[in-house]
Short mmCIF file of all heavy atoms in Angstrom, two decimals:
data_model
loop_
_atom_site.label_atom_id
_atom_site.label_comp_id
_atom_site.label_asym_id
_atom_site.label_seq_id
_atom_site.Cartn_x
_atom_site.Cartn_y
_atom_site.Cartn_z
N HIS A 97 -45.30 9.16 -2.45
CA HIS A 97 -46.52 8.36 -2.52
C HIS A 97 -47.02 8.10 -1.08
O HIS A 97 -46.27 7.51 -0.30
CB HIS A 97 -46.22 7.05 -3.25
CG HIS A 97 -45.59 7.27 -4.56
ND1 HIS A 97 -46.28 7.40 -5.73
CD2 HIS A 97 -44.31 7.45 -4.91
CE1 HIS A 97 -45.47 7.61 -6.74
NE2 HIS A 97 -44.24 7.67 -6.24
N THR A 98 -48.22 8.54 -0.79
CA THR A 98 -48.78 8.36 0.53
C THR A 98 -49.86 7.28 0.49
O THR A 98 -50.77 7.35 -0.30
CB THR A 98 -49.38 9.68 1.04
OG1 THR A 98 -48.36 10.69 1.05
CG2 THR A 98 -49.93 9.55 2.45
N ALA A 99 -49.68 6.27 1.34
CA ALA A 99 -50.63 5.14 1.35
C ALA A 99 -51.88 5.52 2.16
O ALA A 99 -51.81 6.23 3.14
CB ALA A 99 -49.93 3.93 1.99
N SER A 100 -52.99 4.98 1.67
CA SER A 100 -54.25 5.11 2.35
C SER A 100 -55.08 3.87 2.06
O SER A 100 -55.92 3.89 1.15
CB SER A 100 -54.97 6.41 1.90
OG SER A 100 -56.22 6.52 2.58
N SER A 101 -54.80 2.82 2.75
CA SER A 101 -55.46 1.51 2.55
C SER A 101 -55.33 1.03 1.13
O SER A 101 -56.30 0.57 0.51
CB SER A 101 -56.93 1.59 2.97
OG SER A 101 -57.03 1.86 4.36
N ASP A 102 -54.11 1.11 0.59
CA ASP A 102 -53.82 0.68 -0.80
C ASP A 102 -53.35 -0.78 -0.80
O ASP A 102 -52.53 -1.18 -0.02
CB ASP A 102 -52.73 1.57 -1.40
CG ASP A 102 -53.17 3.02 -1.51
OD1 ASP A 102 -54.19 3.28 -2.15
OD2 ASP A 102 -52.47 3.88 -0.96
N SER A 103 -53.85 -1.54 -1.82
CA SER A 103 -53.38 -2.93 -1.93
C SER A 103 -51.94 -2.95 -2.42
O SER A 103 -51.19 -3.90 -2.12
CB SER A 103 -54.27 -3.71 -2.88
OG SER A 103 -54.27 -3.11 -4.17
N SER A 104 -51.52 -1.91 -3.15
CA SER A 104 -50.14 -1.79 -3.55
C SER A 104 -49.86 -0.32 -3.87
O SER A 104 -50.78 0.44 -4.11
CB SER A 104 -49.79 -2.66 -4.77
OG SER A 104 -50.50 -2.22 -5.90
N ILE A 105 -48.58 0.01 -3.91
CA ILE A 105 -48.16 1.30 -4.41
C ILE A 105 -47.24 1.03 -5.58
O ILE A 105 -46.20 0.39 -5.44
CB ILE A 105 -47.44 2.14 -3.32
CG1 ILE A 105 -48.45 2.51 -2.22
CG2 ILE A 105 -46.82 3.41 -3.92
CD1 ILE A 105 -47.87 3.29 -1.10
N ASP A 106 -47.70 1.45 -6.74
CA ASP A 106 -46.96 1.26 -7.99
C ASP A 106 -46.29 2.55 -8.41
O ASP A 106 -46.95 3.60 -8.51
CB ASP A 106 -47.89 0.81 -9.13
CG ASP A 106 -48.51 -0.55 -8.86
OD1 ASP A 106 -48.15 -1.21 -7.88
OD2 ASP A 106 -49.34 -0.97 -9.69
N ILE A 107 -44.99 2.52 -8.66
CA ILE A 107 -44.27 3.65 -9.20
C ILE A 107 -43.95 3.26 -10.64
O ILE A 107 -43.11 2.39 -10.90
CB ILE A 107 -43.03 3.96 -8.36
CG1 ILE A 107 -43.46 4.30 -6.91
CG2 ILE A 107 -42.25 5.10 -9.01
CD1 ILE A 107 -42.32 4.53 -5.98
N THR A 108 -44.63 3.89 -11.56
CA THR A 108 -44.56 3.52 -12.98
C THR A 108 -43.89 4.57 -13.84
O THR A 108 -43.83 4.41 -15.08
CB THR A 108 -45.98 3.22 -13.53
OG1 THR A 108 -46.77 4.41 -13.40
CG2 THR A 108 -46.63 2.08 -12.79
N SER A 109 -43.35 5.62 -13.24
CA SER A 109 -42.61 6.59 -14.01
C SER A 109 -41.49 7.12 -13.15
O SER A 109 -41.53 7.05 -11.93
CB SER A 109 -43.52 7.73 -14.49
OG SER A 109 -44.02 8.46 -13.39
N GLY A 110 -40.48 7.67 -13.81
CA GLY A 110 -39.34 8.29 -13.11
C GLY A 110 -38.14 7.38 -12.92
O GLY A 110 -37.09 7.84 -12.55
N ILE A 111 -38.29 6.05 -13.12
CA ILE A 111 -37.14 5.14 -13.07
C ILE A 111 -36.62 5.02 -14.48
O ILE A 111 -37.21 4.36 -15.31
CB ILE A 111 -37.54 3.81 -12.51
CG1 ILE A 111 -38.17 3.93 -11.12
CG2 ILE A 111 -36.31 2.88 -12.43
CD1 ILE A 111 -38.72 2.65 -10.57
N ASP A 112 -35.51 5.71 -14.75
CA ASP A 112 -34.99 5.74 -16.12
C ASP A 112 -33.47 5.95 -16.04
O ASP A 112 -32.86 5.76 -14.96
CB ASP A 112 -35.66 6.81 -16.94
CG ASP A 112 -35.62 8.18 -16.29
OD1 ASP A 112 -34.66 8.50 -15.56
OD2 ASP A 112 -36.55 8.96 -16.53
N SER A 113 -32.85 6.39 -17.09
CA SER A 113 -31.39 6.57 -17.13
C SER A 113 -30.94 7.91 -16.58
O SER A 113 -29.74 8.22 -16.60
CB SER A 113 -30.88 6.36 -18.56
OG SER A 113 -31.47 7.36 -19.41
N THR A 114 -31.84 8.72 -16.03
CA THR A 114 -31.46 10.01 -15.48
C THR A 114 -30.46 9.87 -14.33
O THR A 114 -29.53 10.69 -14.22
CB THR A 114 -32.70 10.78 -15.00
OG1 THR A 114 -33.65 10.90 -16.08
CG2 THR A 114 -32.35 12.16 -14.50
N TYR A 115 -30.66 8.89 -13.46
CA TYR A 115 -29.79 8.70 -12.31
C TYR A 115 -29.21 7.28 -12.33
O TYR A 115 -29.89 6.33 -12.73
CB TYR A 115 -30.54 8.89 -11.01
CG TYR A 115 -31.09 10.29 -10.87
CD1 TYR A 115 -32.42 10.58 -11.24
CD2 TYR A 115 -30.29 11.34 -10.40
CE1 TYR A 115 -32.91 11.86 -11.13
CE2 TYR A 115 -30.79 12.63 -10.28
CZ TYR A 115 -32.09 12.88 -10.65
OH TYR A 115 -32.61 14.14 -10.53
N PRO A 116 -27.97 7.13 -11.87
CA PRO A 116 -27.38 5.76 -11.79
C PRO A 116 -27.90 4.95 -10.60
O PRO A 116 -27.77 3.74 -10.56
CB PRO A 116 -25.86 6.03 -11.66
CG PRO A 116 -25.78 7.38 -11.01
CD PRO A 116 -26.99 8.16 -11.49
N VAL A 117 -28.45 5.66 -9.60
CA VAL A 117 -28.92 5.00 -8.38
C VAL A 117 -30.27 5.61 -8.01
O VAL A 117 -30.46 6.83 -8.09
CB VAL A 117 -27.93 5.20 -7.24
CG1 VAL A 117 -28.43 4.60 -5.92
CG2 VAL A 117 -26.55 4.63 -7.58
N TYR A 118 -31.20 4.75 -7.54
CA TYR A 118 -32.49 5.21 -7.03
C TYR A 118 -32.66 4.68 -5.62
O TYR A 118 -32.30 3.54 -5.34
CB TYR A 118 -33.62 4.72 -7.92
CG TYR A 118 -33.67 5.44 -9.24
CD1 TYR A 118 -32.84 5.06 -10.29
CD2 TYR A 118 -34.50 6.53 -9.43
CE1 TYR A 118 -32.85 5.75 -11.47
CE2 TYR A 118 -34.52 7.21 -10.64
CZ TYR A 118 -33.68 6.83 -11.65
OH TYR A 118 -33.69 7.51 -12.84
N GLU A 119 -33.18 5.54 -4.73
CA GLU A 119 -33.48 5.15 -3.38
C GLU A 119 -34.97 5.34 -3.11
O GLU A 119 -35.55 6.33 -3.52
CB GLU A 119 -32.71 5.99 -2.35
CG GLU A 119 -31.25 5.64 -2.24
CD GLU A 119 -30.58 6.42 -1.11
OE1 GLU A 119 -31.18 7.29 -0.46
OE2 GLU A 119 -29.39 6.10 -0.88
N PHE A 120 -35.53 4.35 -2.39
CA PHE A 120 -36.94 4.43 -1.97
C PHE A 120 -36.92 4.47 -0.44
O PHE A 120 -36.43 3.54 0.19
CB PHE A 120 -37.67 3.20 -2.50
CG PHE A 120 -37.61 3.11 -4.01
CD1 PHE A 120 -36.57 2.40 -4.61
CD2 PHE A 120 -38.58 3.72 -4.81
CE1 PHE A 120 -36.48 2.35 -5.99
CE2 PHE A 120 -38.48 3.66 -6.18
CZ PHE A 120 -37.43 2.96 -6.79
N HIS A 121 -37.42 5.56 0.12
CA HIS A 121 -37.45 5.74 1.55
C HIS A 121 -38.87 5.44 2.05
O HIS A 121 -39.83 6.02 1.56
CB HIS A 121 -37.03 7.14 1.93
CG HIS A 121 -35.62 7.45 1.65
ND1 HIS A 121 -34.84 8.21 2.50
CD2 HIS A 121 -34.80 7.13 0.63
CE1 HIS A 121 -33.61 8.32 2.02
NE2 HIS A 121 -33.58 7.66 0.88
N PHE A 122 -38.94 4.56 3.05
CA PHE A 122 -40.21 4.16 3.63
C PHE A 122 -40.34 4.82 4.98
O PHE A 122 -39.43 4.67 5.83
CB PHE A 122 -40.29 2.66 3.80
CG PHE A 122 -39.85 1.91 2.55
CD1 PHE A 122 -38.64 1.27 2.51
CD2 PHE A 122 -40.64 1.91 1.42
CE1 PHE A 122 -38.22 0.58 1.37
CE2 PHE A 122 -40.24 1.26 0.28
CZ PHE A 122 -39.02 0.59 0.25
N VAL A 123 -41.41 5.56 5.20
CA VAL A 123 -41.59 6.32 6.45
C VAL A 123 -42.91 5.86 7.11
O VAL A 123 -44.00 6.06 6.57
CB VAL A 123 -41.64 7.82 6.19
CG1 VAL A 123 -41.77 8.61 7.47
CG2 VAL A 123 -40.38 8.27 5.41
N ASN A 124 -42.77 5.23 8.28
CA ASN A 124 -43.89 4.79 9.09
C ASN A 124 -44.94 4.00 8.31
O ASN A 124 -46.12 4.35 8.31
CB ASN A 124 -44.53 6.02 9.80
CG ASN A 124 -43.60 6.61 10.80
OD1 ASN A 124 -42.82 5.92 11.45
ND2 ASN A 124 -43.66 7.95 10.95
N ILE A 125 -44.50 2.95 7.63
CA ILE A 125 -45.43 2.08 6.91
C ILE A 125 -46.23 1.30 7.93
O ILE A 125 -45.64 0.61 8.84
CB ILE A 125 -44.64 1.12 5.98
CG1 ILE A 125 -43.81 1.91 4.96
CG2 ILE A 125 -45.58 0.13 5.31
CD1 ILE A 125 -44.64 2.78 4.00
N HIS A 126 -47.53 1.32 7.83
CA HIS A 126 -48.44 0.66 8.77
C HIS A 126 -49.35 -0.22 7.96
O HIS A 126 -50.04 0.22 7.03
CB HIS A 126 -49.26 1.69 9.53
CG HIS A 126 -50.14 1.13 10.60
ND1 HIS A 126 -49.64 0.70 11.79
CD2 HIS A 126 -51.46 0.90 10.61
CE1 HIS A 126 -50.67 0.23 12.54
NE2 HIS A 126 -51.76 0.34 11.82
N PRO A 127 -49.35 -1.55 8.25
CA PRO A 127 -50.18 -2.47 7.47
C PRO A 127 -51.64 -2.47 7.92
O PRO A 127 -51.96 -2.20 9.07
CB PRO A 127 -49.52 -3.83 7.75
CG PRO A 127 -49.01 -3.68 9.17
CD PRO A 127 -48.57 -2.24 9.27
N GLY A 128 -52.52 -2.85 7.00
CA GLY A 128 -53.90 -3.06 7.35
C GLY A 128 -54.14 -4.42 7.97
O GLY A 128 -55.05 -4.63 8.72
N THR A 129 -53.28 -5.38 7.61
CA THR A 129 -53.36 -6.75 8.15
C THR A 129 -52.20 -7.01 9.11
O THR A 129 -51.06 -6.72 8.79
CB THR A 129 -53.32 -7.77 6.98
OG1 THR A 129 -54.39 -7.48 6.10
CG2 THR A 129 -53.44 -9.20 7.48
N ASN A 130 -52.51 -7.55 10.26
CA ASN A 130 -51.51 -7.80 11.28
C ASN A 130 -50.45 -8.79 10.78
O ASN A 130 -50.76 -9.69 10.03
CB ASN A 130 -52.19 -8.35 12.52
CG ASN A 130 -51.33 -8.24 13.77
OD1 ASN A 130 -50.66 -7.21 13.96
ND2 ASN A 130 -51.29 -9.26 14.56
N SER A 131 -49.24 -8.60 11.20
CA SER A 131 -48.11 -9.50 10.94
C SER A 131 -47.82 -9.69 9.45
O SER A 131 -47.57 -10.80 8.99
CB SER A 131 -48.38 -10.88 11.58
OG SER A 131 -48.52 -10.77 12.96
N THR A 132 -47.83 -8.56 8.71
CA THR A 132 -47.46 -8.65 7.31
C THR A 132 -46.13 -7.89 7.09
O THR A 132 -45.65 -7.21 7.97
CB THR A 132 -48.55 -8.07 6.41
OG1 THR A 132 -48.97 -6.77 6.86
CG2 THR A 132 -49.77 -8.99 6.43
N ILE A 133 -45.59 -8.05 5.89
CA ILE A 133 -44.22 -7.58 5.60
C ILE A 133 -44.24 -6.76 4.36
O ILE A 133 -44.78 -7.15 3.31
CB ILE A 133 -43.30 -8.80 5.44
CG1 ILE A 133 -43.37 -9.73 6.66
CG2 ILE A 133 -41.88 -8.38 5.12
CD1 ILE A 133 -42.86 -11.13 6.44
N LEU A 134 -43.58 -5.57 4.39
CA LEU A 134 -43.47 -4.75 3.18
C LEU A 134 -42.54 -5.45 2.21
O LEU A 134 -41.46 -5.91 2.58
CB LEU A 134 -42.91 -3.36 3.53
CG LEU A 134 -42.84 -2.41 2.33
CD1 LEU A 134 -44.26 -2.08 1.79
CD2 LEU A 134 -42.10 -1.15 2.66
N SER A 135 -42.96 -5.52 0.95
CA SER A 135 -42.23 -6.27 -0.08
C SER A 135 -42.24 -5.50 -1.38
O SER A 135 -43.05 -4.58 -1.55
CB SER A 135 -42.89 -7.61 -0.27
OG SER A 135 -42.95 -8.32 0.95
N PHE A 136 -41.39 -5.91 -2.32
CA PHE A 136 -41.38 -5.25 -3.63
C PHE A 136 -41.19 -6.29 -4.75
O PHE A 136 -40.71 -7.40 -4.52
CB PHE A 136 -40.27 -4.19 -3.71
CG PHE A 136 -38.90 -4.73 -3.98
CD1 PHE A 136 -38.39 -4.78 -5.26
CD2 PHE A 136 -38.11 -5.17 -2.96
CE1 PHE A 136 -37.11 -5.25 -5.53
CE2 PHE A 136 -36.83 -5.69 -3.20
CZ PHE A 136 -36.34 -5.72 -4.52
N GLN A 137 -41.57 -5.86 -5.96
CA GLN A 137 -41.27 -6.61 -7.15
C GLN A 137 -41.19 -5.56 -8.28
O GLN A 137 -41.72 -4.44 -8.12
CB GLN A 137 -42.37 -7.62 -7.45
CG GLN A 137 -42.16 -8.74 -8.46
CD GLN A 137 -40.81 -9.25 -8.80
OE1 GLN A 137 -40.05 -8.55 -9.38
NE2 GLN A 137 -40.51 -10.53 -8.49
N VAL A 138 -40.50 -5.84 -9.34
CA VAL A 138 -40.24 -4.88 -10.40
C VAL A 138 -40.67 -5.41 -11.74
O VAL A 138 -40.95 -6.63 -11.89
CB VAL A 138 -38.76 -4.46 -10.46
CG1 VAL A 138 -38.30 -3.78 -9.15
CG2 VAL A 138 -37.88 -5.69 -10.75
#
């Protein structure tokens, strides 16, 4: 998933019982607003 001024990135498929562990790799995340923090909720 490549960000382009997105308010959020939603991953709504692929998280299932296929794998016992899932990893999300973040590469060069750059915010649009200064002094903000990458966060998640499920």
Side-chain angles (χ1 to χ4, degrees):
H97 307 268
T98 302
S100 180
S101 296
D102 297 303
S103 60
S104 67
I105 293 179
D106 295 356
I107 300 175
T108 59
S109 64
I111 303 173
D112 55 30
S113 62
T114 304
Y115 298 97
V117 177
Y118 287 82
E119 285 186 355
F120 302 89
H121 292 219
F122 313 107
V123 182
N124 294 326
I125 301 296
H126 185 77
T129 302
N130 198 42
S131 300
T132 52
I133 303 161
L134 184 66
S135 305
F136 81 96
Q137 195 26 292
V138 297

